[in-house]
Amino acid sequence: MSSPNEPHQNGPQRPQEPFADSHPPQGPHGAPWRQGAPQGYPPQGPPPGYPPQGPPGYPPAGPHGYPYQGPPRKGGGALPWVIGGAALAIVLVGVTGLGLWWALGDSGDAGSGESGASGDGQGEVRLYEGLSAEHVDPGESVDYAQHPPVGGEHYPFWQNCGVYDEPVLTEAAVHSLEHGTVWITYDPSLESGQVEQLASHHVPGSYVLVSPMEDLPAPIVASAWGAQIQLEEASDERIGDFLREYEQSPAAPEPGAPCSGAYDGNEADFDPETVDARMN
């Protein structure tokens, strides 16, 4: 009888598997051949709970595990309101001050009745109020607050409108102002060309009186009832503006009353005894 380990002589024999009870087959380079990656390989991501979330109530984590900061805060805060409030206060103060200045500038000095004048009165219209329109006896001298006068007591007759080479009767010229006349006075030393320019403002029928006067505050002074302007040059266009504003102005007590048919002499020729009483 044959041994179990001996080859069977008569039937087919099953070949033995090589290394069946030995080491597993080798892969390339002699390393054991792996039949597949171990379970869980490759890694599927961080383990549960990663990244750390911090203790309860802690701000949620942002990318890469850093605490989430939330959207950026918008700038400004209370500062723009403070700046805006300060700017508004400055504007209000400026408007209030401007209104006060305007009111004071329009009203002028209540005691003198003046308004709208610059520091020395040059080139600006000065206004006067509270002027008397009473008559005084011919020959009586009136002490006027302004020189030349812009109104006040005067003679019962007026100075005829026109151009004079000598000073006229002041108290009669004030009566002319009462009728809406503009009285242009000039320094006697004024150059003749400028005197001719001033004389050209009078035309027949106009309510314009032109005459020289001593001790004027400016080379040229134009006066109406309650208004006056001082100028340096006869070419100054403000003379024309003053005439348009005040010749026959309704601000005069008697605009439209005559400016002719009364006294046409000058101051040196005046004799109270010869004045016609009907000239009033």
Side-chain angles (χ1 to χ4, degrees):
M1 179 178 293
S2 61
S3 168
N5 294 324
E6 293 179 359
H8 195 276
Q9 296 296 326
N10 295 322
Q13 296 183 5
R14 178 182 179 185
Q16 289 184 339
E17 295 181 4
F19 308 107
D21 295 328
S22 181
H23 298 287
Q26 293 181 344
H29 310 293
W33 182 270
R34 298 183 180 273
Q35 300 300 321
Q39 186 175 4
Y41 183 90
Q44 301 300 316
Y50 182 89
Q53 302 299 318
Y58 191 80
H64 310 296
Y66 292 105
Y68 182 70
Q69 301 297 326
R73 295 179 60 185
K74 294 183 178 181
L79 183 57
W81 292 98
V82 174
I83 296 175
L88 179 58
I90 293 173
V91 171
L92 291 176
V93 169
V95 171
T96 303
L98 180 60
L100 181 60
W101 173 84
W102 184 271
L104 292 176
D106 281 350
S107 63
D109 185 348
S112 66
E114 302 175 9
S115 68
S118 61
D120 58 1
Q122 294 281 332
E124 298 291 338
V125 175
R126 299 174 69 92
L127 302 178
Y128 303 83
E129 298 176 349
L131 301 168
S132 173
E134 296 296 323
H135 290 175
V136 297
D137 294 334
E140 182 178 343
S141 183
V142 178
D143 185 16
Y144 293 104
Q146 298 84 31
H147 181 76
V150 294
E153 296 177 341
H154 51 268
Y155 289 164
F157 56 91
W158 57 91
Q159 184 81 38
N160 290 346
C161 289
V163 178
Y164 295 83
D165 296 332
E166 299 292 334
V168 298
L169 193 58
T170 300
E171 289 81 2
V174 172
H175 195 147
S176 300
L177 298 182
E178 184 184 33
H179 292 183
T181 297
V182 172
W183 184 14
I184 301 176
T185 52
Y186 60 89
D187 190 283
S189 64
L190 191 66
E191 190 268 330
S192 60
Q194 294 201 54
V195 174
E196 291 177 3
Q197 280 188 279
L198 297 176
S200 68
H201 291 295
H202 175 268
V203 295
S206 66
Y207 280 67
V208 177
L209 177 60
V210 182
S211 68
M213 178 176 275
E214 299 283 351
D215 302 323
L216 290 175
I220 300 167
V221 181
S223 306
W225 188 274
Q228 189 173 89
I229 186 170
Q230 302 175 10
L231 301 168
E232 296 288 333
E233 299 287 338
S235 59
D236 196 318
E237 62 183 13
R238 285 172 290 188
I239 296 178
D241 295 338
F242 190 86
L243 286 165
R244 284 186 289 272
E245 179 70 22
Y246 293 103
E247 184 179 1
Q248 286 292 281
S249 168
E254 299 177 5
C259 193
S260 60
Y263 187 69
D264 60 1
N266 53 45
E267 186 176 35
D269 297 335
F270 176 63
D271 182 358
E273 299 297 331
T274 63
V275 176
D276 191 335
R278 291 174 299 176
M279 296 187 304
N280 53 40

